Amino acid sequence: MSTILDVAKKAKVSIATVSRALNNQPGCSEETRKKVMRIAQELGYEPNEVARSLINKKTNTIGVIIPEISSLLSSEFINGIDAIAKQESSNLIVTYTKSNIVSTEENLKMLHEKRVDGIIFVSEILRKEYYDYIKRNNIPCVLLSTKSAEYASIPYVKVDDYDASYAATNYLIKMGHKKIGLISGSSADPIAGNPRIDGYKKAILENLNKVVEERQIVSGNGFGFDDGRDNFIQLMKQFPELTAIFCASDEMAIGAISAAYKLGISIPEDVSIMGYDNLKISEMSVPPLTTTAQPLVKMAEKATEILFKIINKKADDVHSIIMPYQIIERDSVKKIK
């Protein structure tokens, strides 16, 4: 295996010049750079990434911490993160964690021990324990699809879930629905649970002049297919006169459509269903799902761009971003005249 010394000898330049040429750094002419690159290719020389990281004090690796959220949602985020990481010649270490302090702290510790250049923290509450560890170890960090008012120094990229939920509910109202149920995540979840519940309630109050009754909402611990299927059955029992349901995720909505099919309830003729996220699977459901779109890949790309600005000491250009949402009309919502 050829070494950097072999390249330097054949090119008749110093090892430092070879390093500058291969890393596209100033200090050598374009002619020398091309010569070094040609000789390195001829000799089959491959730079030692470990040695390079020791010199640059970078591992060209970023960490991603994702809780137990939908795999479909996770894949959208990872696609966006990976696209920008590749542009920056960096790799990913992706960790999945359950929503408990020990597991997340273990992942933080593992990523720090791997000397990642920074971390993207996805969809989970930034607890004090996590924040303290990040700050104590001076780890560049960006929040994706979550935020923390308490620790405002950590930038975030997300959609305003309250506004988006309000808009989704208001869309159903504009379609003529007055008896609207909600299948949501946990009301104790300050990231995607409570804001979407509050946005729904506010839309009902302001546009129908009604206070939401407890029986109009079924909330659970997750946002998956099973949650939507089981909660649809419960909601129909306690609020049978409903004409429309807003589901706080697409997977929940598709679970609800599945339950409706088994119960002989036609969507949207008997009950209209609306989702949230605009996952790829929302186009595949029968009927195709009307939903509130989050620009998931674009959100992940923006978060990763911010992280690299912090890593590359361009923090003056760093700020949190609220991304736009969009109502996507398909066939799962019926207009009532």
Side-chain angles (χ1 to χ4, degrees):
M1 183 180 294
S2 297
T3 67
I4 192 170
L5 180 59
D6 298 326
V7 177
K9 283 181 177 179
K10 187 166 184 179
K12 297 180 180 179
V13 297
S14 69
I15 291 175
T17 298
V18 172
S19 178
R20 285 193 289 268
L22 294 177
N23 289 289
N24 201 25
Q25 295 175 339
C28 70
S29 67
E30 183 62 19
E31 182 182 354
T32 299
R33 190 187 71 81
K34 288 181 178 178
K35 179 182 177 182
V36 169
M37 294 291 287
R38 175 177 55 78
I39 290 172
Q41 187 173 17
E42 288 174 0
L43 295 176
Y45 170 70
E46 294 183 4
N48 187 312
E49 289 295 332
V50 174
R52 181 183 289 178
S53 70
L54 291 173
I55 295 169
N56 297 334
K57 296 183 179 179
K58 285 185 180 180
T59 59
N60 293 324
T61 305
I62 62 172
V64 183
I65 298 179
I66 296 184
E68 277 191 325
I69 57 175
S70 155
S71 60
L72 295 171
L73 199 66
S74 299
S75 66
E76 295 283 289
F77 285 144
I78 295 302
N79 286 341
I81 294 168
D82 188 54
I84 302 302
K86 278 187 169 61
Q87 289 179 20
E88 297 288 340
S89 301
S90 283
N91 301 308
L92 301 185
I93 298 177
V94 181
T95 67
Y96 289 87
T97 178
K98 295 182 179 179
S99 295
N100 62 70
I101 294 172
V102 175
S103 178
T104 301
E105 285 192 326
E106 285 176 351
N107 281 331
L108 277 170
K109 183 178 179 182
M110 182 273 289
L111 291 173
H112 181 55
E113 288 174 349
K114 296 288 185 183
R115 294 296 183 262
V116 296
D117 299 326
I119 291 174
I120 296 178
F121 197 88
V122 183
S123 292
E124 190 177 352
I125 301 166
L126 184 66
R127 301 182 188 273
K128 185 178 186 301
E129 293 85 351
Y130 314 156
Y131 176 81
D132 288 345
Y133 189 91
I134 289 165
K135 283 300 180 182
R136 185 167 63 248
N137 292 287
N138 197 29
I139 305 170
C141 181
V142 176
L143 307 181
L144 172 58
S145 194
T146 183
K147 63 181 289 188
S148 174
E150 188 175 358
Y151 309 116
S153 62
I154 306 289
Y156 62 83
V157 177
K158 73 184 300 295
V159 162
D160 187 318
D161 289 279
Y162 176 91
D163 284 353
S165 178
Y166 180 100
T169 308
N170 195 41
Y171 170 81
L172 292 173
I173 293 169
K174 287 180 177 179
M175 292 294 283
H177 296 276
K178 296 181 180 179
K179 298 174 181 178
I180 303 169
L182 172 67
I183 297 176
S184 77
S186 171
S187 59
D189 174 4
I191 305 303
N194 198 52
R196 295 180 195 180
I197 295 171
D198 287 347
Y200 157 83
K201 287 181 175 179
K202 187 70 170 178
I204 299 290
L205 180 62
E206 286 191 352
N207 299 293
L208 294 178
N209 197 30
K210 294 180 180 178
V211 175
V212 172
E213 302 174 42
E214 283 188 22
R215 69 193 186 104
Q216 290 179 245
I217 301 175
V218 177
S219 58
N221 294 321
F223 291 86
F225 177 91
D226 292 346
D227 301 293
R229 179 196 60 207
D230 297 342
N231 290 339
F232 175 85
I233 296 169
Q234 179 60 37
L235 185 60
M236 292 303 299
K237 287 179 181 177
Q238 63 191 44
F239 188 31
E241 65 269 33
L242 64 80
T243 64
I245 300 173
F246 170 45
C247 297
S249 79
D250 284 350
E251 288 200 52
M252 276 181 163
I254 292 168
I257 290 172
S258 175
Y261 173 77
K262 290 182 179 179
L263 292 172
I265 297 172
S266 179
I267 309 297
E269 285 75 16
D270 300 328
V271 175
S272 292
I273 290 181
M274 185 166 187
Y276 190 105
D277 285 329
N278 195 35
L279 299 175
K280 291 178 182 178
I281 197 171
S282 64
E283 299 181 73
M284 305 174 195
S285 69
V286 181
L289 184 65
T290 294
T291 188
T292 308
Q294 297 192 81
L296 301 171
V297 172
K298 183 61 69 175
M299 288 164 63
E301 290 175 346
K302 290 291 184 183
T304 312
E305 288 170 359
I306 291 172
L307 182 64
F308 279 109
K309 285 179 180 179
I310 299 172
I311 291 169
N312 295 323
K313 312 298 183 185
K314 297 179 181 177
D316 290 344
D317 194 26
V318 168
H319 58 276
S320 296
I321 301 175
I322 295 293
M323 299 290 287
Y325 57 84
Q326 182 182 3
I327 303 297
I328 305 295
E329 294 185 273
R330 294 194 181 100
D331 301 330
S332 64
V333 174
K334 173 184 175 183
K335 185 174 180 62
I336 297 178
K337 297 179 180 179

